[in-house]
Amino acid sequence: MHIAIIMDGNGRWAKARHLPRTAGHKKGADAARAAIEACVELRVPCLTLYAFSSENWNRPEEEVGELMNLLKFYLGRELASLHKNGVRMRFIGDRSRLSEDIRERLAQAEELTANNTRLWLQVALSYGSRQEIVQAARALAEQVSAGTLDLAAIDEKLLERHLYTAGLPDPDLLIRTGGDQRISNFLLWQCAYTEFYFTDTLWPDFSKENLREAIEDFRGRERRFGKTEAKVSNVE
Ligand code: IPE
Ligand code: IPE
Ligand code: MG
């Protein structure tokens, strides 16, 4: 139902070729396009791509600026074909840190594609999962203090509805490229029972075939959700 990807390794890909890091990010954007196409082809209904974390703001100003320029460029170039292919876009993250023109473009893309149904594409941008949970907690606290929400009504479902990802199922499979085996502040709440797939392949090299391999690996796993093996196979 839902694949999430931490697209890591652009910098190392470029470094290995004695190219500037931006060259890796450009190639990485092509790999993102291929992953989106593959999800459309394989009828995966939902894809979340981690494009820029809240911690990535701490990178050198020049790299951040180039990443933002690339984002604008690719969004401008790809939007029409994404729309044509039935992709519905949603951007998740702290938009207040993005520039006004980028915020406008994101809103336009979301509006244009709002009625598409083939693939839900979430792009995590200026995204940090702890911050996401904090803003959800704050929204609930505000309602309680305003007297519009009963404390006892706060449960997992309600908190979930205040996350950026509200309305989408939790990821079934999380892929991280680039060889590191960590989650880097991505979908902490949502990945409670997600299957993780780590690969040394650097993101710019990640192909449709690699995505198929990851899905194949996922298919061979048994998800127990805390139950025993016998109970899992006994479809309830
Ligand atoms: C991932 O690649 C892209 C972003 C975080 C924007 P990196 O830029 O982190 O590449 P490495 O990890 O340094 O190789
Ligand atoms: C995670 O990659 C964020 C994205 C891929 C957008 P990082 O390169 O920022 O993660 P760390 O710093 O290695 O944990
Ligand atoms: Mg990295």
Side-chain angles (χ1 to χ4, degrees), residues 218-230:
F218 167 81
R219 283 211 174 105
R221 300 186 189 188
E222 180 187 64
R223 303 181 76 190
R224 289 188 290 280
F225 299 100
K227 298 174 198 164
T228 60
E229 192 189 335

Side-chain angles (χ1 to χ4, degrees), residues 148-162:
T148 55
L149 176 66
D150 185 1
L151 190 59
I154 298 180
D155 59 9
E156 292 180 15
K157 285 274 157 283
L158 189 65
L159 194 133
E160 244 161 38
R161 286 215 295 272
H162 288 79

Side-chain angles (χ1 to χ4, degrees), residues 36 39-40 44-47 86-89 117-121:
I36 295 165
C39 285
V40 170
V44 174
C46 183
L47 173 67
V87 176
R88 177 173 182 178
M89 299 193 78
T117 53
R118 199 171 296 152
L119 173 70
W120 254 102
L121 173 64

Side-chain angles (χ1 to χ4, degrees), residues 7-13 21 25 51-52 56 59 63 67:
M7 311 185 287
D8 196 23
N10 295 350
R12 279 161 286 164
W13 183 92
R21 292 178 62 86
H25 295 315
F52 192 85
N56 289 150
R59 292 191 177 194
E63 180 170 347
L67 277 165

Side-chain angles (χ1 to χ4, degrees), residues 6-8 12 50-53 56 59 176 180 182 184:
I6 301 176
M7 311 185 287
D8 196 23
R12 279 161 286 164
Y50 202 5
F52 192 85
S53 73
N56 289 150
R59 292 191 177 194
R176 181 174 187 140
D180 288 310
R182 56 173 170 261
S184 300

Side-chain angles (χ1 to χ4, degrees), residues 59-148:
R59 292 191 177 194
E61 212 175 296
E62 197 190 325
E63 180 170 347
V64 171
E66 281 176 350
L67 277 165
M68 292 299 149
N69 283 336
L70 269 180
L71 172 74
K72 264 193 274 185
F73 174 76
Y74 279 96
L75 197 59
R77 199 184 71 179
E78 303 292 333
L79 184 58
S81 79
L82 288 166
H83 181 46
K84 203 175 110 227
N85 285 319
V87 176
R88 177 173 182 178
M89 299 193 78
R90 168 151 92 178
F91 296 89
I92 58 173
D94 178 9
R95 293 191 197 201
S96 70
R97 300 182 73 177
L98 298 165
S99 69
E100 181 63 39
D101 64 330
I102 291 195
R103 287 208 298 261
E104 263 171 34
R105 279 163 201 251
L106 304 189
Q108 274 167 10
E110 287 177 338
E111 209 179 289
L112 176 72
T113 62
N115 297 318
N116 292 340
T117 53
R118 199 171 296 152
L119 173 70
W120 254 102
L121 173 64
Q122 287 190 123
V123 181
L125 206 64
S126 185
Y127 174 88
S129 194
R130 288 183 168 174
Q131 184 270 332
E132 173 185 38
I133 295 168
V134 167
Q135 67 78 35
R138 213 177 262 162
L140 293 175
E142 258 168 31
Q143 294 171 43
V144 172
S145 67
T148 55

